[in-house]
Amino acid sequence: MVDYHAANQAYQYGPSSGGNGAGGGGGMGDYMAQEDDWDRDLLLDPAWEKQQRKTFTAWCNSHLRKAGTQIENIDEDFRDGLKLMLLLEVISGERLPKPERGKMRVHKINNVNKALDFIASKGVKLVSIGAEEIVDGNAKMTLGMIWTIILRFAIQDISVEETSAKEGLLLWCQRKTAPYKNVNVQNFHISWKDGLAFNALIHRHRPELIEYDKLRKDDPVTNLNNAFEVAEKYLDIPKMLDAEDIVNTARPDEKAIMTYVSSFYHAFSGAQKAETAANRICKVLAVNQENEHLMEDYERLASDLLEWIRRTIPWLEDRVPQKTIQEMQQKLEDFRDYRRVHKPPKVQEKCQLEINFNTLQTKLRLSNRPAFMPSEGRMVSDINNGWQHLEQAEKGYEEWLLNEIRRLERLDHLAEKFRQKASIHEAWTDGKEAMLKQRDYETATLSDIKALIRKHEAFESDLAAHQDRVEQIAAIAQELNELDYYDSHNVNTRCQKICDQWDALGSLTHSRREALEKTEKQLETIDQLHLEYAKRAAPFNNWMESAMEDLQDMFIVHTIEEIEGLISAHDQFKSTLPDADREREAILAIHKEAQRIAESNHIKLSGSNPYTTVTPQIINSKWEKVQQLVPKRDHALLEEQSKQQSNEHLRRQFASQANVVGPWIQTKMEEIGRISIEMNGTLEDQLSHLKQYERSIVDYKPNLDLLEQQHQLIQEALIFDNKHTNYTMEHIRVGWEQLLTTIARTINEVENQILTRDAKGISQEQMQEFRASFNHFDKDHGGALGPEEFKACLISLGYDVENDRQTGSMDSDDFRALLISTGYSLGDAEFNRIMSVVDPNHSGLVTFQAFIDFMSRETTDTDTADQVIASFKVLAGDKNFITAEELRRELPPDQAEYCIARMAPYQGPDAAPGALDYKSFSTALYGESDL
């Protein structure tokens, strides 16, 4: 509160250490001592009153001209109180009571009293002054009253670094003129006599108006007039002093100088305030523009990635089988290209998209903006769901391809086996129906009949021996049907034909046997020797046919054990060949014995053995064929053995590499988890360490490429299992992708922490304390806290959850102990509010980034919608709206147009043409939560 009595005494008797300006004394050491010396010499200097009259008159007119009037004589023109009341209304912006228009003394006194009452209502204590002195034209009282008004409305609100009004104004002058030579502002009188201080103030703020280097300290009149003229012409500050009065006075009047200097302060602080407001708005708009650009990039990248997933999933879910192995292998090769070439860049895009999203959200939180909500269908969760669907389809697709190749390989093998056995059977049955339909027994001799019977018995034996082959053919056809062989129709047709023919042969055989047995009763002669030959030749002939069939039988194996089993079986077969050869010699000996007896007894044989068609020539021919097939079978088996040995080498080679890469990836994942928990050193040290760690991981990529090459060789060799390792290529791929994603996310987390720390002004020690507390309560090292863990963490940091503030009165251990000892219970309502901030999705977990964001918001200041509104109001000249012209004048072009394009028309009652609503625009920048 201003003590007018003290101010009036200062006016009447000169400044003293006890009564100076607004808010009491407050001098500064030597300066006040100097003032005491001047007081003794210049107590009643009439020059002071002259300076005050001129200065106070000019000051009053600088305000009255806004109302279209002015004063000429300060002690005469305020006597009726009308212009005094008008002056107070202009400088305060408030309405005073309606003045009385009468000319009588009482009317004048009442008007002056209304003015004095208004001054008193503003906290100014008026002492020893009444309306009568003003009405009577008391110059000293009038000047004292005007000085009181100047103190209250022009000087009292000036404060720099919490100083008093006078000290604040002096400190402002000292700071602004500090860089200038020959200027040393220590007071409001002699420090201004040479005029350099006035010129320095103008040059500091408007350097284009003053050529300061050309001014001379020994020419004060020129200096003062230059400053006064420039201020009046360019700064709209009326000339309140005369240069000659100041120069010719030993000590200029302090009140006059302070009044004039306060006009400079208000002129320049207004410009500075507008500049500060414009800078704040530019900063806010720049943040918004950058965030919008990041949002557009996210939407575009998310759309591209989702579109790729949408196109790729139907291809992976297309399970239409092909008819040949070659076609299916081409599909497998296409899938390999997809895994090697097409998918890895998309994995990087997905990871980068998540990182960009997290960084964007962090920037929005740090700039007090609402969280970014992507358009429908483009959320990170939508991308993750689509990616999960993609990987499920991908896994099923590769498994289906391999199963189809196996099935087609099996089908080709079975189909070839079916054709081979069917051809052998069809060759055997050729002509058999015609033979069985012969009626040769009707005209045959007894010996012929016996021969026919024996021949038929041999045929039945042969027929029975072929029963197994027919069953095999039918079984193979059935298996081909079950495996959905593409040419099943022709297989079934051929199989049915064989079965029908087989049934016909059985029926014809039975009919012919009945006919022969009926005739046999009448015929009894039989050539026992031929019969014995026939009986032994038939099974041996069948054995040779079966042996030839087995030696030509196709085989398919997948392991070294399987081929070794076939070689062992073949070796066992070869061991039976000597016995078979002896059987052959015995059978041929029977034939030779029959011929020897016939020749020795001069018996003429009627040709070939009537009981069999298997001649010695046939036996020898087939035996020779068996002998030729044995080494061919040896070669085929050895060739397959070499192939399986090569496959085994490929398995071991892949396993050797996989058993190194797999554990390496697992170890790195564990190390990253440990690093993310420990986080030693500064954040920059941690970031450098993590990036170096990331480079070491990327440098390991050639080992993955080598493993992919080995895996391709294994698939090209159609190797489907590997007992030497538990790691599949799919496991390695997934592990590698998770490793790259994890290190990238960890780096991004540290970068966001740096961003948060720098934006919020959090010290390194605070960040380390936050991390240490978080890790202490993160018992499972999962990177997130449950509600109770989070509450305990807040308490450990000295956070009063009941009142949502940090106590600041004791360290965390003392605070925790106090809570425990007093049975402190955290407020559920307040804690639930905090949880809604750090866990907006209600997942039940608080991440470290969310924890840091919360702590930084609680401990630091940020721009708010109210601050931005206040800045716009400065640019708008205190209006409730702003015009496009004002925006273009105060802001850079791009940011001005940005605002104009987005501001709605102002709809208030005081709206002017082209008025724009800056309040709704500002609140929209920060989301509805700040409305």
Side-chain angles (χ1 to χ4, degrees):
M1 179 180 294
V2 175
D3 188 339
Y4 172 73
H5 180 69
N8 194 42
Q9 286 181 337
Y11 163 72
Q12 291 177 343
Y13 304 109
S16 69
S17 59
N20 235 343
M28 295 182 295
D30 295 338
Y31 162 61
M32 293 309 302
Q34 290 178 351
E35 283 193 322
D36 291 339
D37 293 338
W38 283 109
D39 288 346
R40 285 192 293 271
D41 296 333
L42 301 172
L43 288 177
L44 300 174
D45 190 342
W48 286 5
E49 181 176 337
K50 178 182 178 182
Q51 291 174 8
Q52 288 183 17
R53 280 180 178 276
K54 182 176 181 62
T55 301
F56 291 178
T57 299
W59 182 87
C60 291
N61 284 335
S62 70
H63 294 286
L64 287 172
R65 67 183 178 183
K66 298 176 185 177
T69 187
Q70 63 178 10
I71 61 172
E72 298 294 338
N73 190 323
I74 196 168
D75 49 344
E76 290 294 330
D77 292 350
F78 285 140
R79 292 178 64 182
D80 60 3
L82 296 177
K83 288 189 177 180
L84 178 61
M85 293 179 68
L86 181 61
L87 173 67
L88 290 173
E89 287 187 345
V90 171
I91 62 178
S92 69
E94 300 179 25
R95 298 289 295 179
L96 269 69
K98 186 175 181 181
E100 298 180 12
R101 295 296 180 178
K103 301 296 185 180
M104 299 178 62
R105 175 180 175 81
V106 65
H107 298 139
K108 297 178 181 180
I109 291 175
N110 288 340
N111 287 339
V112 173
N113 275 327
K114 291 177 181 179
L116 296 178
D117 291 342
F118 178 79
I119 296 172
S121 71
K122 296 302 177 181
V124 178
K125 184 178 180 181
L126 298 173
V127 180
S128 301
I129 188 170
E132 291 80 1
E133 288 88 347
I134 306 302
V135 172
D136 293 338
N138 187 317
K140 294 186 182 295
M141 285 296 180
T142 302
L143 291 175
M145 179 189 66
I146 297 301
W147 172 241
T148 300
I149 294 173
I150 293 172
L151 279 177
R152 173 59 183 85
F153 293 101
I155 298 177
Q156 180 172 310
D157 291 336
I158 298 174
S159 178
V160 180
E161 294 187 353
E162 301 181 358
T163 62
S164 67
K166 177 179 178 180
E167 291 170 345
L169 184 60
L170 184 65
L171 180 58
W172 178 79
C173 294
Q174 289 171 340
R175 286 183 174 176
K176 295 299 181 180
T177 60
Y180 294 87
K181 63 181 180 179
N182 297 326
V183 177
N184 183 20
V185 177
Q186 294 295 325
N187 49 53
F188 285 111
H189 36 77
I190 61 175
S191 293
W192 304 83
K193 284 190 67 172
D194 59 12
L196 292 178
F198 287 110
N199 283 276
L201 274 182
I202 298 173
H203 185 269
R204 180 64 181 271
H205 294 90
R206 296 288 299 277
E208 75 278 7
L209 300 180
I210 298 288
E211 293 182 296
Y212 186 83
D213 292 337
K214 294 184 177 181
L215 301 177
R216 292 165 37 214
K217 186 174 180 65
D218 58 357
D219 190 4
V221 173
T222 301
N223 297 341
L224 289 166
N225 284 328
N226 181 67
F228 298 163
E229 291 169 3
V230 168
E232 186 170 43
K233 183 177 181 180
Y234 296 103
L235 304 179
D236 198 28
I237 299 175
K239 185 177 180 181
M240 300 183 183
L241 300 170
D242 283 324
E244 291 77 7
D245 292 343
I246 294 175
V247 172
N248 296 328
T249 302
R251 172 179 169 176
D253 180 62
E254 185 177 50
K255 297 180 179 62
I257 299 294
M258 282 182 65
T259 300
Y260 192 35
V261 171
S262 70
S263 298
F264 283 88
Y265 173 86
H266 289 296
F268 292 136
S269 65
Q272 184 176 357
K273 184 177 180 183
E275 181 180 354
T276 301
N279 289 338
R280 178 185 293 276
I281 292 171
C282 289
K283 176 183 174 183
V284 171
L285 295 179
V287 169
N288 236 55
Q289 289 170 309
E290 179 185 1
N291 290 341
E292 287 181 1
H293 178 67
L294 292 175
M295 293 174 190
E296 292 169 359
D297 285 348
Y298 174 89
E299 291 282 348
R300 176 178 52 79
L301 292 175
S303 297
D304 292 346
L305 185 57
L306 287 170
E307 175 62 19
W308 178 81
I309 292 173
R310 185 191 64 78
R311 293 195 313 267
T312 305
I313 287 179
W315 174 67
L316 292 172
E317 291 180 341
D318 179 12
R319 308 296 165 83
V320 178
Q322 303 299 311
K323 294 182 179 180
T324 66
I325 289 181
Q326 291 74 22
E327 292 174 314
M328 290 304 296
Q329 284 178 331
Q330 182 58 49
K331 276 183 169 288
L332 182 60
E333 185 61 31
D334 293 341
F335 180 74
R336 290 189 190 124
D337 287 341
Y338 158 78
R339 286 308 304 262
R340 290 193 306 263
V341 179
H342 301 292
K343 185 184 178 186
K346 298 304 178 182
V347 173
Q348 295 296 327
E349 288 180 15
K350 175 177 176 293
C351 178
Q352 190 61 45
L353 194 66
E354 293 176 356
I355 289 173
N356 291 350
F357 181 83
N358 293 335
T359 301
L360 172 60
Q361 299 292 38
T362 299
K363 288 185 175 182
L364 290 172
R365 287 193 297 271
L366 294 178
S367 57
N368 206 20
R369 303 302 196 275
F372 169 53
M373 180 62 67
S375 58
E376 185 176 358
R378 294 185 177 90
M379 298 284 289
V380 171
S381 59
D382 296 322
I383 295 174
N384 287 333
N385 290 337
W387 193 265
Q388 184 178 10
H389 189 185
L390 174 76
E391 291 189 331
Q392 289 173 350
E394 177 184 301
K395 184 176 184 226
Y397 187 70
E398 185 174 25
E399 183 178 348
W400 172 76
L401 284 174
L402 295 175
N403 288 337
E404 275 300 303
I405 290 175
R406 290 179 184 175
R407 184 181 71 83
L408 289 175
E409 183 184 35
R410 174 69 176 160
L411 281 175
D412 283 356
H413 171 69
L414 287 175
E416 183 60 31
K417 193 169 186 177
F418 173 83
R419 287 189 289 270
Q420 187 182 70
K421 288 186 178 293
S423 296
I424 293 173
H425 178 76
E426 289 166 348
W428 177 83
T429 58
D430 186 31
K432 292 297 189 292
E433 288 189 30
M435 180 198 69
L436 291 173
K437 291 177 180 178
Q438 289 179 5
R439 303 182 68 84
D440 50 354
Y441 54 86
E442 293 180 350
T443 59
T445 63
L446 180 59
S447 60
D448 292 336
I449 289 300
K450 280 191 168 291
L452 290 175
I453 290 176
R454 299 297 180 265
K455 181 179 179 180
H456 190 70
E457 289 175 348
F459 174 76
E460 286 181 326
S461 177
D462 198 9
L463 186 67
H466 279 273
Q467 174 71 30
D468 182 57
R469 181 180 294 116
V470 175
E471 291 175 354
Q472 289 179 9
I473 290 172
I476 293 173
Q478 178 63 27
E479 189 170 359
L480 286 171
N481 284 322
E482 292 174 354
L483 293 176
D484 194 22
Y485 182 52
Y486 75 94
D487 199 22
S488 293
H489 174 72
N490 290 332
V491 170
N492 292 335
T493 301
R494 190 172 184 182
C495 180
Q496 188 60 48
K497 182 178 178 182
I498 290 172
C499 291
D500 293 343
Q501 187 185 42
W502 183 255
D503 292 339
L505 287 177
S507 178
L508 290 173
T509 299
H510 180 71
S511 299
R512 183 171 176 82
R513 181 174 183 80
E514 287 182 345
L516 290 174
E517 286 178 351
K518 183 178 179 182
T519 306
E520 184 192 19
K521 294 178 181 179
Q522 303 169 1
L523 302 173
E524 297 173 339
T525 305
I526 186 168
D527 188 340
Q528 293 296 328
L529 193 58
H530 279 185
L531 182 58
E532 183 181 357
Y533 171 87
K535 287 182 178 181
R536 294 183 68 173
F540 184 71
N541 182 60
N542 285 332
W543 177 85
M544 287 192 297
E545 288 181 347
S546 296
M548 288 188 293
E549 183 177 348
D550 290 341
L551 289 170
Q552 297 177 84
D553 190 18
M554 295 180 64
F555 57 84
I556 179 172
V557 294
H558 294 97
T559 66
I560 191 71
E561 290 81 10
E562 291 178 358
I563 189 60
E564 287 175 351
L566 290 179
I567 292 174
S568 176
H570 183 60
D571 290 340
Q572 186 176 0
F573 167 75
K574 288 193 294 185
S575 68
T576 65
L577 290 178
D579 291 338
D581 192 32
R582 286 190 288 271
E583 176 67 10
R584 181 183 65 85
E585 292 293 343
I587 293 172
L588 293 178
I590 293 173
H591 177 71
K592 291 178 181 179
E593 179 65 16
Q595 286 185 337
R596 187 189 65 77
I597 294 173
E599 290 175 1
S600 63
N601 294 287
H602 306 289
I603 300 172
K604 185 178 180 181
L605 298 176
S606 60
S608 60
N609 191 325
Y611 304 115
T612 182
T613 59
V614 181
T615 66
Q617 292 76 18
I618 292 175
I619 290 176
N620 286 331
S621 174
K622 290 184 178 180
W623 178 256
E624 183 179 354
K625 181 68 173 176
V626 170
Q627 294 294 97
Q628 293 172 352
L629 291 173
V630 167
K632 290 182 179 180
R633 184 73 166 182
D634 286 334
H635 177 73
L637 291 173
L638 290 175
E639 191 177 61
E640 182 63 28
Q641 184 182 36
S642 176
K643 175 185 174 183
Q644 291 304 323
Q645 288 173 343
S646 174
N647 289 351
E648 183 68 9
H649 173 71
L650 291 177
R651 288 189 184 94
R652 292 181 181 276
Q653 180 177 266
F654 176 83
S656 175
Q657 180 75 0
N659 288 337
V660 172
V661 174
W664 183 88
I665 291 176
Q666 184 176 357
T667 299
K668 293 302 177 184
M669 286 291 291
E670 294 172 354
E671 290 178 358
I672 293 173
R674 193 161 54 250
I675 290 173
S676 65
I677 293 174
E678 295 173 355
M679 289 297 183
N680 296 320
T682 67
L683 291 178
E684 285 74 10
D685 293 339
Q686 297 168 19
L687 182 61
S688 175
H689 179 57
L690 285 171
K691 288 187 175 180
Q692 182 179 2
Y693 201 80
E694 182 183 38
R695 287 193 294 273
S696 70
I697 291 174
V698 173
D699 290 342
Y700 196 76
K701 182 65 163 54
N703 294 281
L704 270 294
D705 296 336
L706 176 60
L707 200 60
E708 285 284 5
Q709 295 170 6
Q710 294 171 349
H711 178 64
Q712 181 170 347
L713 292 176
I714 282 180
Q715 287 200 329
E716 289 173 351
L718 298 179
I719 299 172
F720 302 110
D721 52 20
N722 192 340
K723 64 182 180 180
H724 304 297
T725 181
N726 292 326
Y727 294 99
T728 66
M729 195 64 233
E730 180 63 25
H731 293 154
I732 298 295
R733 289 169 184 154
V734 172
W736 178 254
E737 292 171 359
Q738 289 178 347
L739 180 61
L740 291 178
T741 300
T742 300
I743 186 65
R745 286 174 177 166
T746 305
I747 288 174
N748 179 248
E749 178 184 349
V750 176
E751 291 174 337
N752 284 342
Q753 290 177 28
I754 292 175
L755 191 64
T756 301
R757 181 199 66 191
D758 294 343
K760 297 299 185 179
I762 300 175
S763 68
Q764 183 65 33
E765 291 73 16
Q766 282 180 303
M767 187 65 75
Q768 290 175 345
E769 181 182 5
F770 293 159
R771 168 57 77 179
S773 297
F774 188 90
N775 287 345
H776 176 76
F777 292 99
D778 184 12
K779 304 298 185 182
D780 61 355
H781 306 301
L785 302 180
E788 293 303 319
E789 293 173 330
F790 175 59
K791 182 185 292 185
C793 184
L794 290 180
I795 293 175
S796 75
L797 290 169
Y799 195 94
D800 185 351
V801 183
E802 282 285 358
N803 300 309
D804 190 19
R805 61 179 178 83
Q806 288 180 301
T807 62
S809 60
M810 60 183 72
D811 62 29
S812 57
D813 290 335
D814 291 340
F815 183 67
R816 187 188 304 111
L818 177 61
L819 291 174
I820 295 173
S821 67
T822 57
Y824 187 85
S825 175
L826 299 179
D828 290 339
E830 179 58 27
F831 184 69
N832 290 336
R833 183 195 70 79
I834 295 175
M835 282 299 295
S836 68
V837 173
V838 297
D839 181 24
N841 296 325
H842 306 293
S843 64
L845 294 174
V846 181
T847 65
F848 182 67
Q849 186 59 47
F851 171 68
I852 287 297
D853 290 340
F854 172 75
M855 294 305 298
S856 64
R857 267 200 311 275
E858 296 298 316
T859 57
T860 59
D861 294 329
T862 60
D863 287 332
T864 64
D866 290 340
Q867 291 173 327
V868 175
I869 291 173
S871 298
F872 273 117
K873 190 169 185 178
V874 170
L875 301 186
D878 286 338
K879 299 192 300 295
N880 291 324
F881 60 86
I882 194 167
T883 65
E885 179 182 357
E886 290 170 330
L887 287 171
R888 292 190 176 102
R889 183 179 67 241
E890 301 291 346
L891 299 180
D894 60 330
Q895 294 187 334
E897 298 306 323
Y898 179 86
C899 293
I900 293 169
R902 288 164 173 76
M903 283 186 181
Y906 177 69
Q907 303 295 335
D910 54 340
L916 300 174
D917 186 355
Y918 61 77
K919 291 184 179 179
S920 61
F921 172 76
S922 300
T923 54
L925 290 177
Y926 290 85
E928 295 185 354
S929 61
D930 285 319
L931 289 177

